[in-house]
Amino acid sequence: QQPVQSPQAVILREGEDAVINCSSSKALYSVHWYRQKHGEAPVFLMILLKGGEQKGHEKISASFNEKKQQSSLYLTASQLSYSGTYFCGTVPPSYGKLTFGQGTILTVHP
Amino acid sequence: DTEVTQTPKHLVMGMTNKKSLKCEQHMGHRAMYWYKQKAKKPPELMFVYSYEKLSINESVPSRFSPECPNSSLLNLHLHALQPEDSALYLCASSRRAWGDEAFFGQGTRLTVV
């Protein structure tokens, strides 16, 4: 079951904040976040595990609400380098596979 | 070395050709994956190898045949492909399946003519 991301696209000025949401209709074991720039491979940002804490590094952090089966990615004081497509990926509790959401296109302008 | 290396970077093949995509990692990861990605779409899982054994095959047509010769290498053999198979094929690896960060290769851009 593919998770649903929102919004589909975000346009920011440098220094602005953004939140990308990921929602699943099924119970989750973990949520993964990746960023993919045009023509490049997806790059891992972070993983959030059931029962784990909110994670983050520098100005990018994420939360995972297990009961609501939702995760949010927070980008603070955005930089031009943050531009790209952000994918969340969800893994169910039983041994299953990671399924990516449809992606959120983030564009940061000077 | 935190790199997943894929070759070739670009491939154009006819519908009657046989070709192979290669993927290599030296991070000691025991899970390796093949994904297919169409333009403006998320990566779509094709196959998963865990400890060199095929653990997931996402109902991929038999014209795609994966192979894991050893823990560092992953191949995808292609035969009699269709134009709709044109896509970016991504290889990824992780320490164990699904529980850890996955490292993606740069992909092979495949065009079937």
Side-chain angles (χ1 to χ4, degrees), chain B:
Chain B
D1 182 6
T2 58
E3 213 172 66
V4 176
T5 304
Q6 288 188 244
T7 55
K9 287 189 169 35
H10 300 274
L11 178 63
V12 179
M13 61 185 289
M15 289 189 284
T16 59
N17 290 161
K18 282 186 182 181
K19 296 286 184 183
S20 296
L21 309 184
K22 295 186 185 303
C23 175
E24 192 168 1
Q25 58 87 13
H26 295 288
M27 294 177 277
H29 290 173
R30 302 314 298 269
M32 296 186 77
Y33 316 80
W34 280 115
Y35 285 88
K36 172 182 177 180
Q37 188 175 29
K38 292 275 207 178
K40 298 185 180 181
K41 296 289 186 184
E44 187 182 326
L45 183 68
M46 300 175 72
F47 302 104
V48 181
Y49 274 84
S50 182
Y51 290 86
E52 296 143 60
K53 287 185 169 33
L54 183 64
S55 63
I56 293 181
N57 176 341
E58 287 291 292
S59 302
V60 178
S62 60
R63 55 186 185 268
F64 295 92
S65 175
E67 179 197 18
C68 189
N70 59 56
S71 60
S72 299
L73 293 173
L74 188 65
N75 298 322
L76 187 63
H77 303 296
L78 314 172
H79 173 55
L81 295 193
Q82 303 296 310
E84 59 264 30
D85 296 321
S86 298
L88 180 67
Y89 288 84
L90 292 162
C91 172
S93 72
S94 62
R95 194 162 57 89
R96 54 195 172 100
W98 311 128
D100 297 289
E101 168 183 1
F103 291 82
F104 281 83
Q106 291 297 315
T108 294
R109 178 74 58 189
L110 175 68
T111 303
V112 182
V113 297

Side-chain angles (χ1 to χ4, degrees), chain A residues 46-58:
Chain A
M46 62 189 73
I47 181 173
L48 298 108
L49 300 174
K50 183 178 176 181
E53 298 175 356
Q54 181 166 339
K55 293 209 169 196
H57 55 90
E58 297 183 352

